[in-house]
Amino acid sequence: MEFFIDTANLAQIKEAQDLGVLDGVTTNPSLMAKEGIKGEKNILKHYVDICKIVDGDVSAEVIATDFSGMVKEGERLAKLHKQIVVKVPMIKEGIKAIKYFSGKGIRTNCTLVFSAGQALLAAKAGATYVSPFVGRLDDVSTDGLRLIEDIRIIYDNYGYSTKILAASVRHPMHIIECATIGADVVTCPLNVILSLLKHPLTDIGLAQFLADAKK
Ligand code: E4P
């Protein structure tokens, strides 16, 4: 399973890259705003800066919500760097844009996916990735992981190559369940990736070994 980091923070992206287990980055307009990145020029430069840190795919989201606006913006983003994947919202115009990008060889990530039907449409349009939001579904008392299971079955039934990118992943059990189900990718903040390291028996065992080594 691939690990993407869900942030626009360059220091955190570098820390995850240095760990040696990072496969890519996802951003969204809220994450860019959180880092104080404003204005088209600065935003485009920031995406390039991210691409210089990681080896893998970097999702950059379009702001336009009409077909021609998405195409114009997406083509500009795709030209920035070969690692850029154009992130497109799951709306009618977005599906048309994904189909268009697919025909042009521009890779896409269909975002804001909350149902299996939406994921099926994204795959049919030729999305490279589909991003079901696990945590946001859990937030409204709906089983986000069940959605990942359903999409896995549907994609396997028909051999769709669209990768399931489990997004809005909030804690280590989300990652473990996604891996069990067979999600292709998880994207989450750095602290969630690092939380996989933790186990009290590891800490107790290491302290014991170090104490014994002094004897
Ligand atoms: C990533 O592609 C999504 O934008 C992100 O995972 C959403 O996460 P959140 O629900 O924690 O904001």
Side-chain angles (χ1 to χ4, degrees):
M1 186 172 66
E2 291 181 272
F3 276 25
F4 286 7
I5 188 168
D6 195 27
T7 184
N9 182 286
L10 299 181
Q12 290 186 13
I13 293 168
K14 173 94 172 59
E15 187 176 340
Q17 173 68 23
D18 289 348
L19 197 59
V21 297
L22 190 65
D23 299 296
V25 177
T26 49
T27 64
N28 62 38
S30 306
L31 294 171
M32 294 291 275
K34 197 173 159 190
E35 298 307 314
I37 317 295
K38 287 183 193 145
E40 192 189 354
K41 205 175 150 193
N42 291 331
I43 289 172
L44 298 182
K45 180 187 175 300
H46 200 76
Y47 288 137
V48 174
D49 288 344
I50 293 174
C51 290
K52 285 179 185 164
I53 298 173
V54 292
D55 294 328
D57 289 347
V58 175
S59 287
E61 189 159 341
V62 297
I63 308 301
T65 53
D66 62 299
F67 174 75
S68 58
M70 285 185 197
V71 165
K72 200 172 149 200
E73 220 181 306
E75 285 181 333
R76 194 179 309 138
L77 288 169
K79 272 187 198 140
L80 279 179
H81 200 282
K82 64 180 188 319
Q83 287 166 237
I84 292 284
V85 173
V86 180
K87 206 172 179 191
V88 179
M90 167 40 79
I91 54 176
K92 191 175 169 189
E93 296 291 287
I95 287 298
K96 286 160 67 179
I98 287 168
K99 182 74 185 175
Y100 171 87
F101 289 134
S102 170
K104 297 276 174 192
I106 293 174
R107 294 175 309 135
T108 52
N109 174 357
C110 183
T111 189
L112 290 167
V113 166
F114 294 94
S115 77
Q118 291 178 326
L120 181 54
L121 271 179
K124 280 189 73 68
T128 313
Y129 295 97
V130 65
S131 287
F133 280 31
V134 175
R136 290 194 196 185
L137 277 170
D138 288 355
D139 288 344
V140 293
S141 309
T142 303
D143 188 349
L145 291 166
R146 172 70 202 270
L147 175 59
I148 303 293
E149 280 176 345
D150 288 345
I151 299 172
R152 182 74 281 157
I153 291 167
I154 291 168
Y155 283 10
D156 289 350
N157 279 349
Y158 298 100
Y160 287 121
S161 59
T162 301
K163 286 187 175 181
I164 302 173
L165 195 172
S168 189
V169 163
R170 306 262 176 83
H171 53 73
M173 284 314 293
H174 272 159
I175 298 181
I176 292 158
E177 292 292 342
C178 282
T180 306
I181 293 163
D184 299 290
V185 189
V186 285
T187 190
C188 54
L190 178 63
N191 69 307
V192 180
I193 297 174
L194 295 178
S195 68
L196 291 175
L197 286 165
K198 292 177 195 159
H199 198 287
L201 291 178
T202 304
D203 298 338
I204 292 166
L206 182 61
Q208 182 71 56
F209 286 153
L210 294 179
D212 288 345
K214 288 184 188 148
K215 288 178 187 169

